[in-house]
Amino acid sequence: MKTDLISRRQLLKSAGALGMLALLERFAPAYAWARPTKLAQTGELTGNIIDLTIAETPFRVGNRSGTAVTINGTVPGPLVRLREGEEVTLNVTNRLKEIASIHWHGVLVPPDMDGVPGVSFGGIKPGTTFTYRFPLKQSGTYWFHSHSGFQEQVGVYAPMIIDPREPDPVKYDRDYAVVLSDWTFEDPMKMMGKLKKQAGYFNFQRRTMKEFLSVAKKNGWRATFEDYRMWARMRMDPTDLADVTGHAYTYLINGLPSASNWTGLFRSGERVRLRFINASAMSIFDVRLPGLKMRVVQADGQNVQPVEVDEFRIATAETYDVIVEPKEDRAYTIFAESIDRGGYTRGTLAPRPGMSAEIPARRPRPLRTMEDMGMIVEGMGEMPGMQHGKEMEGMPNEPGEHNMRDMENMPGMQMEDQHRSEIPGSAPVKHGPDTHGSGNQMVPDVTRSRLDEPGAGLGNDGRRVLVYTDLKSLHPYPDRRAPEREIEIHITGHMERFIWSFDGKKFSEAKEPIHFRFGERLRWTFVNDTMMEHPLHLHGMFMELENGAGEHLPRKHTINVKPAERLSVAITADAPGRWAFHCHLLFHMEAGMFRVVEVSEKASEVRS
Ligand SMILES: [Cu+2]
């Protein structure tokens, strides 16, 4: 079958020259190597004092040379395992020639311990050690990474597990951190340059055959054709789902490419907890273990009511913990496919080392739809994705015909429903007159909630795919106040110029931070005016996703906003200070999709 061929070819490509395989294996952390005698992963750093060193590790393989930036010598860095209720000291030494940093993703820390140069501190200067010290006020699966330049892309990321002080409500016999990431031999700065240059590519494409021939005559057929092909793969247009694809990336599990086959061991009948962490720079993955149901028990480090699925989409920077119970004496593939289907990585759960299971056939590349573009389509109300009314049966108000402003006055907004609540923006909302200026390419006609949609390319093959409306916090959220005010932010961009921004302004053009008043409860609405997914990450405070789960709104640190989607979160502004807020796709953040949120006593103007 053709797909098998592609799989095999991809496998060989992932392995590359044997040298590359050896190279990645050399950098892989200790926990990448499960041993039959060990129940837990090896190479954990525990205790209250942790020493981490960020350093460049140059290498040469055949005629290829490059540099990985490692934490304690590995990619990903060591698994740091801590305990809730204790205070931890992390000494981070920077052996690079440039400023470095570590941000503890999803961990609630004082602002000066958050590790974002220019926002929370000055960064860690070359040759110095910065001491982070903070109490651990939470438990769960998290990770940490550099917040400086492209260091995260070239290796500065690692898993962090905080074990709960109270008995864990999640029962399991063994657990593994499963760190997904994207590796490239290319200099990320150059990759960014290529993405910026693509407008030229589009012009090239529109050239006539005569012009193409003249370029080919000048530069040579092969070079011209290769250049054409390269840009064809790197371009963005309505059929593209990822800016950087499997063409440039090798996808890794715990630092190992597919061919090295990271393996987690189990004994039949055990409950195995897999802590999936998407530590990639630019990649959204679809994850499944053919032959096994997954019980999702945690999202972004927060316990959720268990939900059984066949597959879940994990955006950059999100984490999901799942329980699987393999019963048979055989290997199971852990399969993580990139959203554009341009590549994948796999690992294995097996009763013994050295086993492997079938690698699933690749699925066709999904296409962007009219809804992704925010187009009003005839009969849209009857489209499957639009049937939010179904979810909302028994509600005093059908949200069907109301817009946001009507909704605020609806009695439904204040009602005390123990089980379900309003999903703000679940009805299509017409885009206002603001086009966000020249830095913004597209304004969707309508935006709407897509929380109950599995996402592009998913949900049409009979598999039960996790959707955001499945997520219900295990315990009710503590702050029961209704939001006092509402602010809205538009996710904007110019895809051809590779400008990414909020409200049409790059970070460098934004004059003011976004102000939260200390102690307030507010609703923040995200409106995605672009045709791409953007995993938005807020530092310092959790966001409670208003997904209709009543008092069980899930708390998330990263929320993947779909194309032309409007969704909202509730936030308790209980963390004074300056915090980063940004898209977690590294190149989007670097291109300007970044803001500072300032929580202070200062009253801020209310934006509609
Ligand atoms: Cu983005």
Side-chain angles (χ1 to χ4, degrees):
M1 243 174 76
K2 207 174 174 188
T3 42
D4 286 333
L5 268 176
I6 294 168
S7 291
R8 207 157 296 139
R9 212 169 58 209
Q10 179 67 25
L11 191 66
L12 288 171
K13 199 197 120 197
S14 304
L18 254 174
M20 174 168 158
L21 193 63
L23 175 85
L24 289 165
E25 288 184 351
R26 206 186 97 207
F27 279 120
Y31 55 86
W33 307 105
R35 296 282 178 262
T37 49
K38 290 249 168 68
L39 283 187
Q41 280 161 300
T42 51
E44 289 181 1
L45 289 183
T46 57
N48 293 347
I49 300 173
I50 307 278
D51 294 319
L52 302 171
T53 301
I54 302 171
E56 257 184 21
T57 314
F59 56 80
R60 175 169 284 276
V61 181
N63 56 2
R64 296 191 87 167
S65 63
T67 305
V69 180
T70 57
I71 307 174
N72 293 7
T74 64
V75 176
L79 170 58
V80 171
R81 190 147 200 159
L82 306 170
R83 182 160 288 277
E84 183 188 11
E86 301 195 350
E87 187 175 87
V88 66
T89 300
L90 301 120
N91 302 306
V92 181
T93 301
N94 175 14
R95 297 238 177 278
L96 305 178
K97 292 186 202 76
E98 60 183 35
I99 285 192
S101 57
I102 291 289
H103 162 63
W104 319 98
H105 187 103
V107 183
L108 301 172
V109 300
D112 54 341
M113 294 289 125
D114 197 47
V116 184
V119 178
S120 11
F121 74 146
I124 310 172
K125 291 180 186 60
T128 66
T129 299
F130 183 85
T131 298
Y132 294 86
R133 188 175 293 122
F134 47 84
L136 298 161
K137 301 192 285 189
Q138 66 202 102
S139 62
T141 301
Y142 301 95
W143 63 297
F144 55 99
H145 60 82
S146 168
H147 226 292
S148 303
F150 293 105
Q151 287 166 14
E152 190 195 325
Q153 172 77 84
V154 292
V156 188
Y157 51 86
M160 174 180 271
I161 297 170
I162 308 173
D163 289 310
R165 192 167 33 178
E166 305 294 328
D168 200 323
V170 181
K171 297 289 168 252
Y172 56 94
D173 301 300
R174 66 171 91 202
D175 72 323
Y176 295 105
V178 183
V179 181
L180 304 172
S181 64
D182 44 21
W183 173 262
T184 176
F185 276 93
E186 282 196 61
D187 175 353
M189 204 84 94
K190 285 188 187 145
M191 289 167 81
M192 184 90 168
K194 282 179 183 173
L195 288 165
K196 286 244 175 225
K197 236 168 37 184
Q198 73 199 344
Y201 159 71
F202 280 105
N203 291 339
F204 177 76
Q205 262 219 312
R206 291 190 194 108
R207 282 176 189 172
T208 62
M209 182 54 87
K210 200 173 147 203
E211 284 170 284
F212 177 84
L213 290 174
S214 82
V215 174
K217 214 179 257 173
K218 204 169 75 194
N219 297 346
W221 280 101
R222 205 189 163 81
T224 308
F225 186 62
E226 275 307 308
D227 184 60
Y228 174 93
R229 287 218 314 178
M230 181 184 78
W231 287 113
R233 286 178 180 140
M234 295 291 278
R235 76 186 166 176
M236 283 196 306
D237 71 18
T239 64
D240 266 339
L241 286 107
D243 297 333
V244 189
T245 66
H247 178 61
Y249 280 145
T250 300
Y251 302 110
L252 308 177
I253 287 188
N254 290 335
L256 296 177
S258 262
S260 303
N261 193 22
W262 176 80
T263 301
L265 297 176
F266 69 88
R267 287 197 201 99
S268 178
E270 279 182 329
R271 288 163 299 191
V272 182
R273 179 175 192 164
L274 300 174
R275 301 168 180 268
F276 285 94
I277 298 165
N278 187 342
S280 72
M282 286 296 288
S283 307
I284 297 173
F285 293 103
D286 294 325
V287 177
R288 62 198 152 109
L289 285 83
L292 289 176
K293 290 272 181 201
M294 296 183 281
R295 201 155 65 243
V296 179
V297 292
Q298 206 178 78
D300 290 6
Q302 306 298 296
N303 291 323
V304 294
Q305 297 173 25
V307 51
E308 199 162 83
V309 299
D310 299 310
E311 182 166 19
F312 62 87
R313 171 161 288 176
I314 183 167
T316 302
E318 286 187 307
T319 75
Y320 283 107
D321 286 32
V322 307
I323 302 287
V324 292
E325 297 183 46
K327 300 269 192 305
E328 292 170 54
D329 184 49
R330 69 164 177 102
Y332 296 87
T333 297
I334 303 170
F335 192 62
E337 205 174 11
S338 68
I339 182 174
D340 64 297
R341 309 291 176 244
Y344 68 88
T345 187
R346 65 93 193 229
T348 298
L349 277 187
R352 291 170 297 283
M355 296 175 77
S356 63
E358 198 186 343
I359 297 176
R362 304 281 289 289
R363 293 175 292 191
R365 173 200 222 203
L367 292 171
R368 291 297 188 205
T369 62
M370 297 294 266
E371 296 104 296
D372 292 337
M373 289 182 270
M375 307 281 273
I376 299 172
V377 193
E378 200 71 34
M380 199 164 173
E382 281 79 58
M383 291 171 73
M386 296 295 294
Q387 293 176 351
H388 299 277
K390 259 198 180 149
E391 288 284 310
M392 311 292 287
E393 262 164 23
M395 293 283 301
N397 283 294
E398 278 286 320
E401 311 81 62
H402 303 277
N403 65 28
M404 280 301 284
R405 282 170 243 314
D406 289 340
M407 265 163 135
E408 280 164 23
N409 306 320
M410 280 163 56
M413 293 302 289
Q414 266 79 43
M415 78 182 167
E416 291 293 316
D417 186 332
Q418 295 302 302
H419 307 292
R420 295 206 59 84
S421 54
E422 189 66 68
I423 301 179
S426 55
V429 175
K430 278 236 174 235
H431 199 286
D434 189 357
T435 58
H436 314 295
S438 63
N440 190 41
Q441 190 175 26
M442 188 191 92
V443 169
D445 291 335
V446 293
T447 54
R448 61 196 167 78
S449 168
R450 309 185 73 178
L451 295 172
D452 62 352
E453 296 179 33
L458 292 180
N460 41 24
D461 54 9
R463 291 190 182 90
R464 172 74 168 85
V465 184
L466 184 77
V467 292
Y468 272 173
T469 44
D470 287 331
L471 297 177
K472 297 180 181 73
S473 174
L474 188 62
H475 300 295
Y477 59 87
D479 189 349
R480 304 302 314 281
R481 290 176 294 165
E484 296 154 34
R485 70 177 179 118
E486 184 168 333
I487 57 176
E488 188 171 298
I489 195 166
H490 284 241
I491 301 165
T492 49
H494 199 294
M495 312 230 291
E496 287 179 28
R497 287 155 61 197
F498 209 72
I499 295 172
W500 296 102
S501 55
F502 288 118
D503 290 336
K505 289 192 171 63
K506 294 186 286 184
F507 179 50
S508 56
E509 298 163 341
K511 289 180 194 81
E512 278 274 302
I514 295 162
H515 292 286
F516 290 178
R517 198 169 55 252
F518 177 57
E520 77 174 331
R521 175 89 171 158
L522 79 157
R523 170 174 295 139
W524 202 0
T525 298
F526 304 144
V527 183
N528 189 350
D529 286 353
T530 80
M531 269 187 294
M532 299 198 85
E533 286 79 6
H534 300 278
L536 301 187
H537 172 47
L538 175 64
H539 293 221
M541 291 151 279
F542 273 100
M543 302 178 279
E544 279 145 20
L545 180 63
E546 296 192 299
N547 67 346
E551 61 187 29
H552 292 270
L553 300 183
R555 304 173 84 204
K556 296 201 91 248
H557 52 56
T558 307
I559 292 172
N560 190 28
V561 188
K562 297 185 184 79
E565 183 170 39
R566 164 185 289 266
L567 63 78
S568 65
V569 299
I571 296 170
T572 298
D574 58 1
R578 282 159 57 82
W579 303 101
F581 170 72
H582 58 93
C583 176
H584 220 288
L585 298 178
L586 184 61
F587 292 7
H588 289 191
M589 178 174 78
E590 285 295 315
M593 200 175 267
F594 186 100
R595 282 292 187 279
V596 172
V597 166
E598 193 171 311
V599 181
S600 66
E601 301 291 349
K602 183 184 166 186
S604 71
E605 81 284 24
V606 179
R607 288 198 50 218
S608 60

